[in-house]
Amino acid sequence: MLDPTILTIGGIVLGIAIIERILERWGVIDLVDQFAKVMRFILPVTFYGALFYFFATFMF
């Protein structure tokens, strides 16, 4: 069974990716570029944080 926190974080990341695709399709290129710069920092931090949380709670 998967942890609800990891599923929530995954859902947020998927939602952000979908919003980014919609904005790119609408032609809001500048906003998408700024969004991509922020996500390049946030996504790895969120991923490794969720991974650490999973193993910390799973092991103990």
Side-chain angles (χ1 to χ4, degrees), residues 19-37 40:
I19 290 170
E20 185 178 356
R21 289 287 183 180
I22 290 171
L23 290 176
E24 189 175 7
R25 186 170 293 172
W26 285 349
V28 190
I29 301 300
D30 293 336
L31 185 60
V32 171
D33 290 339
Q34 293 297 323
F35 200 62
K37 288 177 186 175
R40 280 191 199 123

